[in-house]
Structure formats: C-alpha cells, structure tokens
Amino acid sequence: MSITTRFAPSPTGYLHIGGARTALFSWLLAKNKGGHFLLRVEDTDRERSTKEATDAIIQAMAWLDLAAEGTAVFQSERFDIYNSHIDKLLENGHAYWCECTPEQVEAMREKARAEGKKPKYDGRCRERGLGPGAGRVVRFKTPQDGVTAFHDMVKGPTAVQNAEMDDMILRRGDGSPTYNLAVVVDDHEMGVTHVLRGDDHVANTPRQILLYQAFGWDVPDFGHVPMILGPDKAKLSKRHGALSVMEYKNMGYLPEALVNYLARLGWSHGDQEIFSRAELVELFSTGHLGNSPSVFDIKKLEWLNAHYIKEAAPERLAALLPEFITEPEGLKLDPAYLASIVPLLQQRAKTLVEMAEMARFFLLPTDRLVYDEKAVADQLKPEARQLLTELLPLYEAAGDDSDHKALEAATQAFLDERDLKFKAVAQPLRVALTGKTASPGLFETMCVLGKGESLARIKRALAL
C-alpha cells in the first residue's frame, strides 16, 4: 500500500533539531513504503510567521536532502476552505455557536477544579441553538460518552474517555479557524495516511480523530515521537545544542552526518550506528522507534561527522572548504590545490571548521606564515638551524615531482651519515614549514606545498 506522510512546521522561527528529526522520520517512513512526503507550512499565526523563517525551513530541508514532493501547502491561503468545512459541521449538528466569553469559560474551569472535576467548558451553549453573532465562536460537539481509541505507531494502544475532552473551539471570535480543525482538513485533502509528529501532540490526536469521524473521513495512522533531552536530562535548549539546522552547517557538519545522527536519536536497528541514506530507507520502521526521550550528545555527532569527513571525496570537501576559511584574501584557494591538501587532513578533522583551520598554513604565502614564538624558541636552536642549512642543498637538488617517500629517504640518508635520529630534524623542519609543532606528515606536506614554497619557508625560518 502506498502511503503519504507530511511535515508541517510553523514558520515562527528556524528549523531546529527536533523538527528536523520529525521531518526525517516522516520522510523515511514514506520512502520505506515507496510513498509520498509532503510539506505544509502552518502559518496561521500572522504576527509571528515570516517569509524569512519559511525560506530558512525549506533551505534546511533541502540541505538535509529531505525536500518534499510537489508544491508546499500554506494554511494562510486556505481560510475559506476551513470555514466552509466548519459550516458543514454546523449544518449536520456536529458543531454549535457559543457566546461565552473567555472570562466565563475560565470561571467554569475554576469551578470544576474546586469540585475536583476536569477543568473544561461546561457546554452551556451546546443546545441553545444560537446563530452567528459578534464575538461568538463555533465549538465542536464532542460526544459525552464512549472512548476514542487508536493504535499509536510509537506508543502502542492509546485511549481517552470522551467525557474528559472539551467542546473545542473550531472558529474563533474573529472568524479564524483553530489548529485542530485546520490540520484535519489539510491532512484529509492532502491524502495524508500516516502522521508522525512530536509527542506534544498526543492530546490533540483524540480530538482530531473525532473530527475525522464527524466528517465521515478515513482516519490516518498516528505516531508520536518522544522529545529530545539535553545531557542533563532537561528539555533540550540552545546550551545543549538546540540550534537551527543551518547553524550545524555553519559549524562544519556534513548533512549526511546530521541525518545519520538524527536517525539514531530515537530509532535503532540492532547495534548499528552508521547508516547510508539507502540503508536508512530500507531499514526504517516505526516499530523500532523508541518510546523514551532521547539524549542529545554533541560528541557522538562529532564522531559521526569525523567518519563522514574521512569517507568523503577530497574534491567535494575542497569545494566546501572555502566557506569556512576566515580572511581568505590573498590565500591560495585553487580547487585542485585544496583537493591535494584535503587527504592530509581528513583523518584528523572532526568538522570542516577544524579542517579549514588546519589547512590555513598551506594557503598562506611564505611572507604571511605566522610562526609560533615558543615553537621557534624550542625547536629552531643553533644546532637545528645548522642541520636545516645543510639539508637545503639536498632539497634544492630534488626533482620538482619528487614524492614524499623519495624526500623521506633522502632525509633519512642525510641523518644516517651523521648518525642522527629523525627527531633531530623532524620538529625543526615542521616549524620551518608550518610555523607550528603539529601538522600532517612532514614529507606529504612538502609535496603539497611544492618544492619552491617548501624551500622558501625553510629559508625564511632560518632568517628569523
């Protein structure tokens, strides 16, 4: 059976980790069944919804490769449709007009609390047969007995006594439709068969099921995914990593790493941690979604990102790297040159930001290379300088196309003649070439820099 899922964000802010995970699970559910994944923008809050946020959400979904099919549905363009369906409920007796003020409704709830009852609207306008009027709302006539039950795809069998539910408002006093009504109409008209969303919507589901039944429509399957917590088990916040998806892009994470991490944040397939996109699609099922909150772990995300950086094609990383290089003016950013640097850094970098920082000494011209003062003092002492001076003719005589093994062998022969260990020149040479004491392999670095640049840097170091 072909299925249709949807992601329905509110554009009152950027797409955050929780929303991205919901979108991913919905996308995977659809793709696993060969179905369709749709996007609905729930922009009925006209004061807080912005085009900037809408564009940012769509951009983040595209970066994660979760683009929806077809044209996005915007709720702000569908008010006439919602109101026509509310009118149908009024006509068939499933809804009624109510003139109770918010203050009166709150008084009803306070009275119920004082009596130990469920605090809700008491239904006083339910059978009055009122019509439209200034400030009046339309309420749903919730059944007063029986049970509304459904099988949650994540939580299992779920049931609510109808008597526990309010006669919810369908149309506000200003004529605007409410969330539960709009969602049901949209999901029906979009052909949505399966709804995966956060468990903050659990309480809405029985109400929405009653609306489906009142309209005589098929009820979709519902599933509610537990929230994401910070490492301290508190609600995920910015201090834990609850940033917008595009912030993770700016921090140097690859989209496939974030997708893999989010998939494992509440879903599992045995003990497997690393999944290709194709594996996620093939293996995903709601039966393997966890029923407990997940804990966000930035270290695990870094570990996954490091894995995907190691696996990525150097040419792809080279194309991404310039975006993360600060003060690029005057740096050598030729794509082919960057692609020759990347393999030296892939085993070391956890993010593209780290890789860009590691790559910086490769990109600077000799006269702009910054030398660490302590490294120079510790490593470029007179005896080390003498050895570098004696090594220069050896490197000058080397061919322009010498590989790192040839350079290493020549250096080792030079040391053997003097009965010296490699460490006698390793750090002095590294400081001369890179300005610091940590770098990729010495001779691989020399090959990437090229003969001319390597010699120029050694000579400059000797002149310090």
Side-chain angles (χ1 to χ4, degrees):
M1 178 188 75
S2 181
I3 71 169
T4 299
T5 68
R6 49 75 163 176
F7 177 53
S10 297
T12 55
Y14 300 114
L15 180 62
H16 293 274
I17 286 296
R21 185 185 67 163
T22 299
L24 172 62
F25 286 162
S26 296
W27 185 90
L28 288 172
L29 178 59
K31 299 308 173 185
N32 174 265
K33 303 294 185 184
H36 305 285
F37 173 67
L38 308 178
L39 175 66
R40 179 170 71 244
V41 180
E42 299 189 339
D43 57 345
T44 54
D45 186 340
R46 292 175 174 174
E47 291 184 4
R48 297 175 60 219
S49 298
T50 66
K51 184 180 186 302
E52 179 187 18
T54 300
D55 292 345
I57 290 169
I58 293 172
Q59 179 188 26
M61 291 178 67
W63 181 67
L64 294 173
D65 196 15
L66 300 178
E69 301 163 42
T71 304
V73 171
F74 288 82
Q75 285 191 331
S76 60
E77 301 172 357
R78 295 170 56 80
F79 277 30
D80 289 346
I81 296 172
Y82 304 140
N83 279 312
S84 69
H85 282 86
I86 294 170
D87 290 340
K88 291 176 183 176
L89 293 177
L90 285 166
E91 291 168 10
N92 62 26
H94 285 292
Y96 61 94
W97 288 97
C98 171
E99 65 178 3
C100 298
T101 65
E103 293 76 18
Q104 288 173 316
V105 174
E106 185 54 37
M108 297 174 201
R109 291 174 176 158
E110 284 299 323
K111 181 174 181 291
R113 288 189 189 98
E115 296 172 352
K117 299 177 181 178
K118 187 82 171 181
K120 62 176 188 173
Y121 175 70
D122 66 8
R124 69 180 57 177
C125 291
R126 189 179 174 104
E127 304 300 339
R128 291 180 61 191
L130 296 174
R136 291 181 179 177
V137 302
V138 175
R139 290 184 179 273
F140 181 66
K141 192 175 285 187
T142 302
Q144 295 179 306
D145 54 16
V147 174
T148 298
F150 65 100
H151 185 89
D152 192 297
M153 290 185 283
V154 180
K155 299 178 179 296
T158 305
V160 176
Q161 296 289 330
N162 290 336
E164 295 288 302
M165 289 187 276
D166 223 334
D167 280 2
M168 60 181 163
I169 294 175
L170 303 178
R171 180 187 291 156
R172 301 182 184 91
D174 63 2
S176 63
T178 56
Y179 168 79
N180 280 311
L181 182 284
V183 164
V184 168
V185 171
D186 286 338
D187 282 342
H188 171 72
E189 295 205 345
M190 293 169 71
V192 172
T193 61
H194 292 69
V195 176
L196 263 182
R197 54 191 179 186
D199 63 2
D200 53 329
H201 286 286
V202 168
N204 289 324
T205 300
R207 295 178 171 88
Q208 292 173 11
I209 289 173
L210 290 174
L211 281 170
Y212 276 101
Q213 293 171 347
F215 283 120
W217 296 338
D218 291 338
V219 179
D221 290 343
F222 289 95
H224 299 88
V225 182
M227 69 175 65
I228 302 172
L229 303 179
D232 57 1
K233 305 301 173 66
K235 184 178 178 182
L236 191 65
S237 64
K238 286 188 176 181
R239 74 177 189 277
H240 298 123
L243 309 171
S244 76
V245 165
M246 299 310 281
E247 276 300 303
Y248 286 93
K249 176 181 182 291
N250 296 338
M251 288 158 61
Y253 290 93
L254 296 175
E256 59 266 39
L258 190 55
V259 164
N260 192 153
Y261 180 71
L262 291 176
R264 284 289 288 112
L265 202 60
W267 173 84
S268 63
H269 181 76
D271 295 328
Q272 187 173 341
E273 293 288 352
I274 296 172
F275 296 86
S276 68
R277 178 68 64 111
E279 285 178 311
L280 287 174
V281 170
E282 178 186 354
L283 298 172
F284 184 82
S285 73
T286 56
H288 288 159
L289 287 170
N291 197 16
S292 301
S294 302
V295 176
F296 187 87
D297 182 355
I298 192 69
K299 293 297 182 185
K300 186 172 180 181
L301 175 56
E302 285 181 352
W303 172 76
L304 277 169
N305 202 56
H307 164 78
Y308 282 104
I309 284 176
K310 290 173 187 173
E311 297 293 313
E315 293 75 16
R316 178 191 170 204
L317 298 181
L320 296 173
L321 211 53
E323 182 180 343
F324 301 94
I325 293 171
T326 57
E327 300 178 9
E329 189 69 28
L331 301 189
K332 188 176 179 182
L333 299 178
D334 174 70
Y337 181 57
L338 286 174
S340 70
I341 296 169
V342 167
L344 276 62
L345 308 177
Q346 282 179 279
Q347 301 302 313
R348 298 163 171 261
K350 297 191 292 292
T351 69
L352 292 178
V353 170
E354 281 190 7
M355 182 177 281
E357 182 58 34
M358 291 176 184
R360 191 166 188 83
F361 77 84
F362 281 105
L363 311 177
L364 288 162
T366 300
D367 59 356
R368 285 179 58 190
L369 183 65
V370 178
Y371 288 89
D372 180 272
E373 291 183 5
K374 186 176 185 304
V376 170
D378 290 346
Q379 303 300 333
L380 294 183
K381 293 178 178 176
E383 59 272 24
R385 290 173 179 270
Q386 181 61 37
L387 285 173
L388 291 184
T389 301
E390 294 175 13
L391 269 171
L392 270 175
L394 183 73
Y395 295 146
E396 287 174 338
D400 289 339
D401 58 350
S402 295
D403 63 20
H404 68 92
K405 291 182 179 179
L407 289 172
E408 183 175 4
T411 305
Q412 189 60 56
F414 168 88
L415 293 169
D416 290 343
E417 288 177 5
R418 291 158 177 78
D419 197 24
L420 294 172
K421 301 289 186 184
F422 184 64
K423 66 180 182 180
V425 297
Q427 286 299 74
L429 187 56
R430 179 171 280 108
V431 171
L433 293 167
T434 71
K436 51 192 179 180
T437 56
S439 75
L442 265 179
F443 303 106
E444 291 90 337
T445 296
M446 290 180 70
C447 287
V448 169
L449 286 171
K451 177 179 174 178
E453 184 69 23
S454 297
L455 292 171
R457 291 187 179 201
I458 295 170
K459 291 174 181 176
R460 183 180 174 215
L462 290 172
L464 289 174

